[in-house]
Amino acid sequence: MEAGRHLRPYAITGGRTRHSRHTFTLITLVAARSVHGIEHDHLEPEANQILDLCRTRAVAIAEIAAHMDLPVSVVKILCGDLLNASLILVQAPPGQEDRPSVELIERVMNGIRRL
């Protein structure tokens, strides 16, 4: 039934379309804080599934969405909830300020050329 597929993500997130406190990119890595398979009764089944996926290694948001066959937006909301509950650790990709400047890269390239 096609209508059920569209209703399900809405029901999982309680109608939210984004998390109020956290933003994630497709390549943000998620890891469960506990290596033990503890079921959290207060969580959605999908949130428990995220914890299971991320228990042995860090997994990107996009990969979680693909494994669970859920929209990325739903996975981001659920991960935000898990982060609020201190059940996961996240590693965001480096920001613009962490990248070397074009000038620095050009200087390094020029130095290599002179060798």
Side-chain angles (χ1 to χ4, degrees), residues 94-101:
Q96 281 292 100
E97 64 280 352
D98 296 328
R99 296 182 184 160
S101 68

Side-chain angles (χ1 to χ4, degrees), residues 14-91:
R16 296 175 292 162
T17 58
R18 67 177 48 170
H19 201 274
S20 59
R21 292 180 48 198
H22 307 291
T23 56
F24 301 97
T25 67
L26 292 175
I27 59 173
T28 297
L29 296 175
V30 178
R33 289 183 65 99
S34 170
V35 293
H36 306 294
I38 300 169
E39 286 290 317
H40 298 279
D41 295 334
H42 64 281
L43 295 176
E44 295 287 336
E46 293 81 5
N48 276 316
Q49 191 175 357
I50 290 171
L51 290 174
D52 289 341
L53 280 171
C54 302
R55 210 165 298 287
T56 57
R57 67 179 180 94
V59 183
I61 293 284
E63 189 177 348
I64 294 169
H67 277 290
M68 296 178 63
D69 194 28
L70 285 174
V72 171
S73 58
V74 172
V75 171
K76 288 179 178 182
I77 293 167
L78 292 173
C79 285
D81 294 343
L82 291 170
L83 186 58
N84 281 351
S86 299
L87 295 173
I88 61 170
L89 299 169
V90 295
Q91 180 177 356

Side-chain angles (χ1 to χ4, degrees), residues 100-115:
S101 68
V102 173
E103 177 188 339
L104 176 62
I105 293 171
E106 288 174 347
R107 287 188 356 223
V108 169
M109 287 174 52
N110 289 334
I112 292 171
R113 286 185 188 125
R114 280 187 251 147
L115 294 175

